[in-house]
Amino acid sequence: MLNATLNERHFRRLSEFIENEVGIKMPATKRVMLEGRLRKRLRALGMSSFDEYVEHVFSRDDGEIVHMIDVVTTNKTDFFREPDHFRYLQEQLIPRHLPEGWGLNEPFKVWSAASSTGEEAYTLAIVLNEVAQNRRDFRYRILGTDISTAVLHTAQKAVYPAARVRPVDARLQKKYFLRSRDRDAELVRVRPELRRNVVFHRLNLMTPEFPIADRFHVIFCRNVIIYFDRPRQEAILSRLYSFLVPGGYLFLGHSESMAGLNLPLVSVAPTVYQRRKNTNREA
Ligand SMILES: C[S@@+](CC[C@H](N)C(=O)[O-])C[C@H]1O[C@@H](n2cnc3c(N)ncnc32)[C@H](O)[C@@H]1O
């Protein structure tokens, strides 16, 4: 049993680093949570004190930082989480823009900007694949990014416990997931026809320049900025805005909002915002 405690000084050092690098707010009330989560790292490294651990984090070999980020991020997600968004995409947004050639002249491009373990990106793939089955010339590409390497690994494998796909309609489950041959394993894998349209990369939303050449018709940035303070939220959303095509859409989580932010986006549905068509502003 490991009894190491995270003292005030160490907490301040780590929390400042996490706030500045990852963006996640770390008020003093999070000390116990941070201590609990980091104990797992101490155990994995065979360390018995936070003195030793904090030294290790800030040593020249910063490989531990990636692990620390993995344990401090909250990765909760689901297939078809906040289902209104997917209905809006399929029933309103795409039909509205098909006549302009979205998805026809060039692939319909979507970015899941805090993709966690991949459920959001694969839900988008299911919805877009359904569109493609009714419009044979419709093509799509999905980019999933996250700061945590652990969640990206799961997203890339696309293997989930069968219970995770329960929110997916039974017809779509059958169509888009393969059951593991080992019946006892109770695992499913996303089918290759969806996987080949989805790529995942590591990206920290706090980096001032995103190394991404594409512009997107739709960006999902859901349930992540809630962990950031207002100036950081504004900086990130402003950067994401510049990656939308004119008329493109930004989806936030249901408890997040653009209220008070000075960006040329108009609200078109709850937590769905559209970039005005006649703006060329680069953030
Ligand atoms: C609660 S999950 C949300 C997943 C998905 N968007 C959803 O709504 O279901 C938040 C994700 O944001 C990621 N995250 C936190 N800080 C980040 C940052 N600075 N850059 C990129 N991703 C970040 C976390 O690793 C985590 O996977």
Side-chain angles (χ1 to χ4, degrees):
M1 181 80 175
L2 186 63
N3 283 321
T5 49
L6 182 62
N7 67 30
E8 182 68 40
R9 188 169 52 86
H10 290 330
F11 173 72
R12 219 173 313 119
R13 211 166 156 207
L14 292 176
S15 60
E16 268 176 34
F17 177 82
I18 292 166
E19 281 197 18
N20 291 333
E21 291 297 310
V22 188
I24 298 176
K25 283 178 279 175
M26 277 280 156
T29 47
K30 294 233 175 137
R31 179 157 134 197
V32 175
M33 180 277 286
L34 188 63
E35 181 183 286
R37 291 193 183 180
L38 289 182
R39 275 208 191 119
K40 289 189 200 133
R41 287 304 306 153
L42 263 68
R43 240 175 263 131
L45 293 163
M47 292 179 176
S48 54
S49 78
F50 276 101
D51 274 337
E52 212 180 337
Y53 181 72
V54 172
E55 264 325 294
H56 177 63
V57 168
F58 296 110
S59 66
R60 258 192 289 146
D61 167 18
D62 62 2
E64 179 56 24
I65 286 173
V66 171
H67 293 293
M68 186 173 76
I69 291 172
D70 285 346
V71 297
V72 299
T73 49
T74 301
N75 310 116
K76 184 194 157 13
T77 188
D78 272 312
F79 286 99
F80 285 93
R81 182 177 192 186
E82 300 176 5
D84 291 355
H85 280 163
F86 300 100
R87 263 195 297 274
Y88 182 83
L89 177 66
Q90 186 167 7
E91 293 170 12
Q92 300 197 47
L93 192 162
I94 293 176
R96 189 181 303 146
H97 292 284
L98 276 177
E100 291 165 46
W102 285 21
L104 307 177
N105 304 332
E106 53 158 354
F108 188 82
K109 289 188 197 136
V110 186
W111 178 9
S112 165
S115 57
S116 187
T117 35
E119 287 85 336
E120 183 175 273
Y122 292 124
T123 302
L124 288 163
I126 292 174
V127 168
L128 298 179
N129 215 70
E130 289 293 291
V131 173
Q133 299 220 309
N134 295 322
R135 274 295 299 233
R136 287 278 159 196
D137 45 353
F138 182 84
R139 289 168 302 133
Y140 68 92
R141 296 276 174 280
I142 296 166
L143 168 68
T145 59
D146 202 284
I147 194 172
S148 159
T149 50
V151 296
L152 287 169
H153 185 64
T154 303
Q156 271 150 353
K157 277 204 309 192
V159 174
Y160 301 94
R164 302 257 336 126
V165 298
R166 253 182 235 132
V168 184
D169 165 277
R171 178 184 70 85
L172 298 175
Q173 272 186 38
K174 229 168 150 185
K175 190 165 164 190
Y176 292 118
F177 294 89
L178 294 160
R179 292 236 150 223
S180 141
R181 269 187 228 117
D182 172 3
R183 290 271 149 198
D184 294 337
E186 299 267 352
L187 294 173
V188 294
R189 185 164 200 212
V190 179
R191 281 191 178 267
E193 60 263 38
L194 295 188
R195 276 189 282 138
R196 67 170 163 253
N197 289 313
V198 186
V199 292
F200 292 96
H201 290 293
R202 182 163 192 253
L203 180 99
N204 182 353
L205 289 169
M206 292 282 290
T207 34
E209 304 266 321
F210 298 153
I212 295 176
D214 272 323
R215 292 294 174 270
F216 297 86
H217 299 99
V218 168
I219 298 177
F220 271 49
C221 182
R222 306 189 311 164
N223 305 304
V224 60
I225 62 164
I226 195 164
Y227 301 109
F228 302 169
D229 64 19
R230 210 59 184 154
R232 290 190 175 106
Q233 292 186 350
E234 183 152 16
I236 289 169
L237 294 178
S238 165
R239 233 170 287 150
L240 289 177
Y241 162 86
S242 68
F243 283 84
L244 285 173
V245 300
Y249 296 79
L250 177 65
F251 288 65
L252 301 182
H254 276 138
S255 47
E256 296 163 335
S257 131
M258 297 276 302
L261 299 186
N262 185 23
L263 286 174
L265 287 153
V266 283
S267 166
V268 289
T271 58
V272 183
Y273 302 86
Q274 185 179 19
R275 175 178 173 155
R276 293 208 192 105
K277 284 216 171 115
N278 53 0
T279 50
N280 283 320
R281 187 194 124 154
E282 292 292 317

